[in-house]
Amino acid sequence: MGGGIAGTFHVAIIMDGNGRWARHRGLPRTMGHYFGAEAARRIVRAAAGAGVTHLTLFGFSSENWRRPKVEVDYLMGLLRGYLRKDVAGLHENNVRLSVIGTREELAPDIVRLMEQAEALTARNTGLYLTIALNYGGRADIAAAARHLAQEAAAGRLDPAAIDEATVAGALPSAHLPDPDLLIRTSGEQRISNFLLWQMAYAEMLFVDRYWPDFTAEDLAVALAAFKRRDRRFGGNV
Ligand code: IPE
Ligand code: IPE
Ligand code: MG
């Protein structure tokens, strides 16, 4: 069903609208995040059965530190809970977990839990689940540029030989195929610094529903809409 690399189907999701979901119910924003985490669990469970081979969830952007400390702390607590409680179940279900984003600014215990989860599930062959945490698309591209510049300065890389494949290969997410489909919930229609380089030819679908309300049924509807799209990659065939 996918596109890019034969046999893969990569769906990336900007899980947006937790705060508004809560506000509409007169609840604190943190409750929106609590139910947003439940929605993420639901969609991870549904994805493999729906034909998705790679699922990438935007959990926390490098800009989200600008939010009030109580909200940031709550989000980090949810993440800690997910890494502590859900990884065994993911492993049983043959899910391979990886995390993209800058690790330096995260709490050391969270980084340790992430590394343990990645190591535990590294040889699994089912759904390839990636969580984008403290992630920014521009930071990703800057990291690739830094790495290539270091290689060139060390004499290991000829600058004239740098092409798109070299840059793609130097991205921290180089192990992932490009997303075939981007879904953003909450009605907002923007990329918000998600996988900028990788989304060159992603189909985009903006869903008018807050993330905590997003169901397996909504995912199925989105995938059906994707199937009806005519992807051309610049050709006219
Ligand atoms: C998405 O929901 C979750 C994160 C960004 C962590 P928001 O918290 O952005 O919810 P809205 O967009 O304010 O409704
Ligand atoms: C993008 O949502 C980040 C995540 C969903 C984790 P935001 O709510 O932070 O994006 P903006 O601020 O509306 O662009
Ligand atoms: Mg938002």
Side-chain angles (χ1 to χ4, degrees):
M1 168 152 60
I5 298 176
T8 66
F9 181 34
H10 183 181
V11 176
I13 306 183
I14 301 178
M15 310 182 288
D16 196 20
N18 294 350
R20 279 163 283 168
W21 182 91
R23 181 155 50 81
H24 283 279
R25 284 167 177 72
L27 297 169
R29 289 179 60 85
T30 47
M31 281 298 98
H33 295 313
Y34 176 87
F35 286 100
E38 290 298 310
R41 290 187 170 95
R42 205 155 61 220
I43 296 312
V44 168
R45 276 195 300 271
V52 175
T53 62
H54 294 70
L55 178 68
T56 300
L57 301 176
F58 203 179
F60 191 88
S61 80
S62 42
E63 290 74 35
N64 287 150
W65 298 107
R66 295 177 190 155
R67 297 185 179 203
K69 186 173 184 300
V70 280
E71 184 174 347
V72 170
D73 287 349
Y74 189 85
L75 285 165
M76 291 299 155
L78 278 178
L79 173 66
R80 218 176 247 118
Y82 188 74
L83 291 170
R84 285 206 187 118
K85 287 182 278 180
D86 286 58
V87 171
L90 294 175
H91 186 46
E92 270 169 36
N93 285 294
N94 201 19
V95 173
R96 182 170 175 181
L97 180 72
S98 78
V99 183
I100 54 171
T102 310
R103 299 193 179 189
E104 282 78 48
E105 290 134 33
L106 298 171
D109 72 300
I110 290 186
V111 175
R112 206 162 46 241
L113 287 167
M114 277 163 29
E115 287 168 354
Q116 285 167 357
E118 287 176 332
L120 176 71
T121 62
R123 279 176 300 280
N124 289 343
T125 54
L127 178 71
Y128 204 132
L129 173 64
T130 303
I131 303 180
L133 268 180
N134 192 21
Y135 178 84
R138 287 183 171 178
D140 228 14
I141 296 169
R146 203 157 48 238
H147 173 71
L148 294 178
Q150 281 160 354
E151 290 296 292
R156 289 189 290 265
L157 175 70
D158 174 8
I162 295 175
D163 59 11
E164 292 182 16
T166 323
V167 178
L171 290 170
S173 61
H175 55 291
L176 295 174
D178 286 347
D180 298 294
L181 171 64
L182 169 76
I183 299 171
R184 182 172 189 147
T185 56
S186 90
E188 305 294 355
Q189 303 190 1
R190 54 177 172 265
I191 296 181
S192 298
N193 200 19
F194 200 20
L195 301 154
L196 297 180
W197 172 279
Q198 298 88 335
M199 292 219 279
Y201 274 103
E203 293 292 329
M204 302 198 178
L205 201 88
F206 300 101
V207 179
D208 238 334
R209 175 166 276 212
Y210 297 133
W211 176 250
D213 288 331
F214 196 77
T215 63
E217 171 77 31
D218 293 321
L219 178 68
V221 169
L223 301 188
F226 170 83
K227 274 199 232 171
R228 292 192 298 271
R229 299 268 179 102
D230 176 21
R231 299 184 85 191
R232 295 188 184 169
F233 300 99
N236 185 22
V237 285

